Amino acid sequence: MTIDIAKDTRPAPTENLPAVVEAEKINTGNTDPNTVVLSYEQVEALGRDLDELRSRIVADLGQKDRDYLYAVIRAQRGFEIGGRALMYLGFFPPAWIAAVGALSVSKILDNMEIGHNVMHGQYDWMREDTYNSREFEWDTVCPADQWKHSHNYLHHTFTNIVGEDRDIGYGILRMARDQKWNPYYLGNLGYATALMLLFEWGVMLHDLEAENVIQGKRKWSDIKGLVKGMWRKAGRQVLKDYVVFPALTGPLFVPTLIGNATANLVRNVWTYSIIFCGHFPTGAQTFTPEECQNETRGQWYLRQMLGSANITGSPLFHIMSGNLSHQIEHHLFPDIPAGRYPEMSAEVREICDRYGLPYNTGSLSHQLASTWKKIAKLSLPNWMTRDDDDLTVIVEREKPASVA
């Protein structure tokens, strides 16, 4: 958790002193290895470092980024065509398994490395009709415009702020100790499992704020437009996956239907796992609204770094995750093409080291275990569990009068 310094009595930072040296001065006398204290100017220097990194990458965007996107699109289309074709041999179990595998890969690529990233505006600079954040529609039941509101705006603006970022628990789970506990949360593990298996439907309902509808906090007049959009998009998806394509395989209707449902299930489990590992493992921090009032650019960057986590893996793994295995970089630079995150990660990690900040990363198995442990732990009231030994970052949030 980031903590304000209510009153600053330290001398003003020495002009032109490197931030890392200044950090050592500020932390003099601090004997707690789990605490880092950053001055106002240090946080702003961190922000300038990250702005400079962003500017360099933006200036370098060009044909190789376009080529990368279209290579992924070709692969996604190839897997989809191959999967659909193999369904005509669905009477042969190895062919059916291969069909499900190909369709699963196709749906994962469409949702994560193409849809998620295109709808973030990462390729708007190409000025192309199809692959831009205004026009693109993805292969899932959630309408693109609703997802962009709940994700691009709400989540990326209010990242990990309890009560404002609805991605903290998706209105279903307790994922932060600052969320008030009640007996409903004893089912945290069950709710998380259901959300994982039905993730595309959970994402669809996200912007609806279903829990507020149930509690009477939202009226029909508030949601009827959303419901209409959901019905239209979900209807098309259900028709495509569970009626049209199965019907095209004639006597193999049932194996094809089951295969399509299995591919959607695989995509749901994979997407949920990557997203939760990037937001909720041990060390990913949450914040109160008071801690985030009147944020500077540097303070916003700091919140993104402390509230996100990465997953280690091979280049293929990163592609299959939509490069959301670099969730720290994604939250710092959500509109930079995700294919650039691997090269940016080394410099982001060096910046974290320079300022004494954590760079939360680990294998998929480690981050998954950590996340599910947190889900289980937060099903219980706070008095029954103890706080994680997370690093505490104490931030001077206002410029000292002596250097104003």
Side-chain angles (χ1 to χ4, degrees), residues 107-362:
K107 287 175 177 289
I108 288 169
L109 288 175
D110 176 90
N111 283 190
M112 303 193 76
E113 185 68 310
I114 302 172
H116 172 275
N117 295 335
V118 167
M119 290 192 295
H120 258 297
Q122 294 179 6
Y123 296 96
D124 284 1
W125 55 271
M126 298 194 313
R127 299 185 179 181
E128 297 191 1
D129 292 339
T130 304
Y131 295 100
N132 63 75
S133 60
R134 298 172 301 283
E135 303 295 332
F136 189 84
E137 189 63 74
W138 53 354
D139 180 26
T140 185
V141 295
C142 181
D145 60 334
Q146 296 184 26
W147 180 85
K148 285 183 286 188
H149 174 259
S150 62
H151 184 82
N152 290 7
Y153 171 62
L154 289 177
H155 174 57
H156 277 274
T157 301
F158 306 106
T159 309
N160 285 31
I161 301 177
V162 177
E164 296 184 10
D165 180 5
R166 298 192 67 258
D167 277 27
I168 301 178
Y170 289 78
I172 302 170
L173 308 173
R174 184 173 185 247
M175 294 304 304
R177 292 178 70 86
D178 288 336
Q179 289 176 274
K180 185 178 180 181
W181 183 87
N182 65 63
Y184 162 85
Y185 291 118
L186 291 171
N188 233 26
L189 284 169
Y191 311 144
T193 301
L195 179 61
M196 176 180 68
L197 299 177
L198 301 170
F199 194 58
E200 66 171 324
W201 297 93
V203 171
M204 182 191 75
L205 295 173
H206 196 29
D207 208 34
L208 188 66
E209 300 180 22
E211 74 282 7
N212 289 328
V213 175
I214 293 172
Q215 296 171 18
K217 296 179 180 178
R218 299 196 79 185
K219 300 177 182 178
W220 171 250
S221 58
D222 299 326
I223 65 171
K224 62 181 181 180
L226 296 175
V227 172
K228 183 178 180 180
M230 292 174 189
W231 178 263
R232 183 168 53 246
K233 181 67 192 299
R236 288 199 297 266
Q237 291 296 124
V238 169
L239 185 67
K240 173 179 72 72
D241 278 341
Y242 304 127
V243 178
V244 174
F245 278 112
L248 289 174
T249 59
L252 296 175
F253 181 96
V254 173
T256 303
L257 185 150
I258 296 173
N260 289 350
T262 304
N264 282 328
L265 176 64
V266 170
R267 184 268 318 277
N268 288 347
V269 172
W270 177 257
T271 305
Y272 167 96
S273 298
I274 295 297
I275 290 173
F276 268 58
C277 285
H279 293 86
F280 303 120
T282 299
Q285 301 184 26
T286 57
F287 311 87
T288 66
E290 292 73 24
E291 290 172 324
C292 305
Q293 288 180 351
N294 302 316
E295 278 183 327
T296 65
R297 179 70 169 171
Q299 291 165 4
W300 181 87
Y301 273 135
L302 180 61
R303 174 160 56 89
Q304 307 308 313
M305 297 168 82
L306 296 176
S308 307
N310 283 8
I311 313 169
T312 58
S314 67
L316 178 59
F317 171 79
H318 294 315
I319 291 171
M320 291 300 294
S321 76
N323 276 291
L324 294 181
S325 48
H326 294 93
Q327 192 69 234
I328 296 171
E329 287 71 28
H330 175 58
H331 272 272
L332 291 172
F333 313 109
D335 59 347
I336 295 291
R340 291 299 191 109
Y341 295 157
E343 67 181 275
M344 300 176 80
S345 64
E347 191 162 343
V348 171
R349 187 164 195 164
E350 186 277 327
I351 291 171
C352 287
D353 291 342
R354 192 188 317 160
Y355 290 91
L357 297 169
Y359 187 82
N360 189 341
T361 188

Side-chain angles (χ1 to χ4, degrees), residues 6-23:
K7 183 178 180 181
D8 181 61
T9 57
R10 294 178 277 103
T14 303
E15 187 174 3
N16 298 324
L17 191 62
V20 66
V21 177
E22 186 63 20

